[in-house]
């Protein structure tokens, strides 16, 4: 009987009765209540993700930043096993020079987002993830040296058809060293070359280079626990950022830890790569005279990783330096410290303006 009465009562309840059950007085209040409850639920979920899995928040941010820059993430494979990952903006056009961007050690195409979003959409841009970085497959251990990496870049540009006409390479740090060596090996493919604080031994050692040298002289083993470029936790990520940048920006610890969680998965590979490229002999400095293409040099004036004195060595050794840009209030992480100025001087050189700024 109780169930029947209850069923009858329920069947007779009006909309206003249901609203009363919810504790509100009109339909708009119902909508507001549902909205607030939904937002609260998402906020609680967001707080939970922030506290428990901050790396997920960062990964979502990276994807949105890449899309915001105008790049689309793509993959190309020469054999169905090894995959190159890259970001692309615009389209290759006959008579227009494409830009090939090569990132630094432990970075990927995301590093270029502050630059790419400032480049006009009419310019074709490719930002490659070096093997083992970002979404690109990890190379065999015997293919970590610069020469092998240069060959893989050659394979990549042929694979996507970028080699149909000469292009402009822009490299930063390790990417600049690779770009220089690529231009030395394949000059017919390179229209211009922009070297931004390339990895090299400079006349005056940087603080980072001096520390490495001291570590070697002390006979200590080098591993992920004593390299500032291979942070193991949030505090070490902040230390790395402070060391590589002129401007000090402090981030919430959870975000820093999320960055560490993402990077630490590849630290064993990064260490192998670092040891390989810092002990090899076929370096950019060994091949300067072979770089016959026009060159632009860019450096952050406050670089603590690759010393500014590298400019003098490159100006002396390279056959054709068109332009030198020293950016004030800027460390090694040029794309973070001065993305606007950096993009401007790159695009000035791309467009043919060869004025030197020091």
């Amino acid at each position: 009987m109780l169930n029947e009465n209850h069923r009858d009562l329920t069947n007779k309840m009006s909309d206003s009765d249901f609203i009363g059950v919810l504790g509100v007085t009109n339909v708009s209040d119902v909508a507001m209540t549902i909205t607030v409850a939904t937002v609260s639920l998402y906020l609680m979920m967001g707080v939970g993700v922030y506290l428990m899995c901050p790396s997920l928040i960062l990964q979502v941010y990276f994807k949105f930043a890449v899309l915001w820059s105008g790049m689309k993430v793509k993959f190309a494979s020469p054999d169905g096993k090894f995959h190159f990952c890259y970001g692309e903006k615009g389209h290759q056009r006959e008579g227009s020079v494409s830009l090939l961007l090569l990132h630094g050690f432990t970075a990927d195409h995301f590093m270029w987002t502050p630059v790419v979003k400032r480049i006009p959409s009419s310019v074709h841009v490719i930002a490659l993830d070096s093997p083992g970085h970002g979404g690109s497959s990890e190379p065999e251990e015997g293919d970590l040296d610069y020469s092998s990496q240069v060959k893989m870049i050659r394979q990549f540009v042929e694979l996507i058809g970028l080699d149909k006409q000469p292009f402009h390479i822009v490299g930063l740090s390790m990417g600049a060293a690779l770009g220089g060596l690529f231009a030395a090996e394949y000059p017919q493919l390179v229209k211009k070359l922009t070297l931004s604080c390339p990895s090299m031994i400079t006349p005056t050692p940087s603080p980072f280079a001096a520390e490495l040298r001291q570590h070697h002289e002390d006979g200590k083993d080098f591993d992920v626990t004593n390299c500032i470029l291979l942070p193991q936790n949030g505090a070490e990520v902040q230390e790395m950022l402070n060391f590589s940048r002129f401007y000090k920006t402090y981030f919430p610890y959870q975000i820093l830890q999320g960055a560490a969680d993402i990077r630490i998965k590849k630290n064993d590979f990064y260490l192998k790569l670092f040891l390989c490229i810092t002990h090899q002999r076929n370096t950019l400095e060994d091949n300067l005279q072979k770089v016959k293409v026009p060159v632009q040099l860019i450096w952050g004036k406050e670089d603590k990783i690759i010393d500014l004195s590298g400019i003098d060595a490159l100006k002396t050794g390279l056959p054709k330096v068109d332009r030198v840009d020293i950016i004030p209030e800027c460390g090694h992480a040029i794309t973070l410290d001065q993305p606007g100025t950096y993009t401007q001087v790159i695009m000035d050189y791309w467009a043919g303006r060869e004025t030197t700024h020091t």
Side-chain angles (χ1 to χ4, degrees):
M1 178 68 76
L2 180 62
N3 289 340
E4 290 178 1
N5 290 339
H6 177 69
R7 189 181 303 112
D8 291 340
L9 178 62
T10 302
N11 290 337
K12 294 176 181 179
M13 288 178 71
S14 66
D15 291 343
S16 60
D17 293 324
F18 278 116
I19 292 171
V21 171
L22 291 173
V24 292
T25 58
N26 55 54
V27 174
S28 63
D29 286 344
V30 174
M32 180 60 71
T33 300
I34 294 173
T35 300
V36 170
T38 302
V39 171
S40 299
L41 177 61
Y42 278 116
L43 285 174
M44 291 173 62
M45 292 172 61
V47 170
V49 172
Y50 174 78
L51 294 174
M52 302 301 295
C53 190
S55 61
L56 181 60
I57 294 177
L58 280 179
Q59 289 170 339
V60 171
Y61 166 70
F62 293 159
K63 292 181 183 299
F64 274 105
V66 170
L67 289 173
W68 182 44
S69 74
M71 283 193 286
K72 295 181 180 179
V73 178
K74 299 182 177 182
F75 293 86
S77 175
D79 56 10
K81 297 179 180 178
F82 185 94
H83 292 84
F84 291 104
C85 177
Y86 63 101
E88 182 174 28
K89 179 178 179 178
H91 302 281
Q92 189 176 15
R93 292 183 293 115
E94 186 176 355
S96 180
V97 179
S98 298
L99 286 168
L100 174 62
L101 310 181
L102 302 177
H103 62 75
F105 177 66
T106 77
D108 57 31
H109 64 273
F110 168 76
M111 185 199 82
W112 293 106
T113 55
V115 172
V116 175
K117 75 182 186 68
R118 291 173 165 87
I119 295 176
S121 58
S122 58
V123 179
H124 181 228
V125 181
I126 295 288
L128 172 65
D129 287 354
S130 292
H133 294 70
S136 289
S137 302
E138 189 171 316
E140 298 292 333
E141 193 162 336
D143 293 333
L144 298 179
D145 61 282
Y146 280 150
S147 296
S148 297
Q149 291 194 60
V150 166
K151 290 177 183 177
M152 283 187 277
I153 295 173
R154 175 68 178 92
Q155 184 182 45
F156 168 74
V157 299
E158 182 177 1
L159 189 63
I160 67 167
L162 194 62
D163 61 341
K164 293 177 182 177
Q165 58 186 14
F167 47 87
H168 181 168
I169 294 179
V170 178
L172 194 154
S173 195
M174 182 187 77
L178 290 171
L181 290 167
F182 184 94
E185 190 69 25
Y186 307 106
Q188 74 279 8
L189 295 179
V190 182
K191 181 75 172 180
K192 291 182 178 179
L193 173 65
T194 295
L195 301 178
S196 313
C197 47
S199 298
M200 60 181 291
I201 297 175
T202 54
T204 301
S206 67
F208 178 68
E211 183 179 339
L212 286 181
R213 181 178 298 176
Q214 187 61 51
H215 198 88
H216 178 72
E217 291 175 355
D218 292 343
K220 296 179 180 178
D221 292 332
F222 193 84
D223 57 34
V224 294
T225 65
N226 50 33
C227 178
I228 197 169
L229 302 182
L230 299 175
Q232 299 292 293
N233 53 53
E236 291 180 1
V237 171
Q238 184 69 71
E239 183 182 5
M240 178 190 70
L241 289 172
N242 289 346
F243 191 73
S244 61
R245 297 189 62 184
F246 173 79
Y247 293 106
K248 306 298 186 289
T249 303
Y250 292 89
F251 298 92
Y253 184 80
Q254 286 299 119
I255 296 300
L256 294 169
Q257 186 57 50
D261 292 341
I262 293 172
R263 295 172 61 90
I264 202 169
K265 298 174 183 177
K266 292 192 174 185
N267 270 354
D268 287 342
F269 166 75
Y270 293 151
L271 179 61
K272 293 177 187 176
L273 175 61
F274 184 82
L275 292 175
C276 178
I277 63 179
T278 54
H279 288 83
Q280 69 170 36
R281 295 183 179 180
N282 188 32
T283 63
L284 176 62
E285 305 95 284
D286 298 328
N287 291 272
L288 293 181
Q289 288 297 318
K290 292 174 62 179
V291 181
K292 306 296 185 182
V293 304
V295 178
Q296 173 188 33
L297 302 178
I298 304 177
W299 230 282
K301 192 173 183 179
E302 313 297 334
D303 196 327
K304 296 179 182 177
I305 295 179
I306 310 294
D307 190 75
L308 182 62
S309 62
I311 282 184
D312 296 328
L314 295 177
K315 286 170 65 177
T316 300
L318 289 167
K320 187 174 175 54
V321 176
D322 282 341
R323 175 170 175 149
V324 177
D325 292 279
I326 300 174
I327 303 177
E329 298 185 352
C330 184
H332 191 68
I334 308 178
T335 60
L336 295 178
D337 275 337
Q338 297 288 355
T341 302
Y342 186 43
T343 307
Q344 184 63 57
V345 296
I346 290 171
M347 295 312 297
D348 281 351
Y349 188 56
W350 176 87
R353 292 184 281 273
E354 299 175 357
T355 305
T356 297
H357 300 281
T358 58

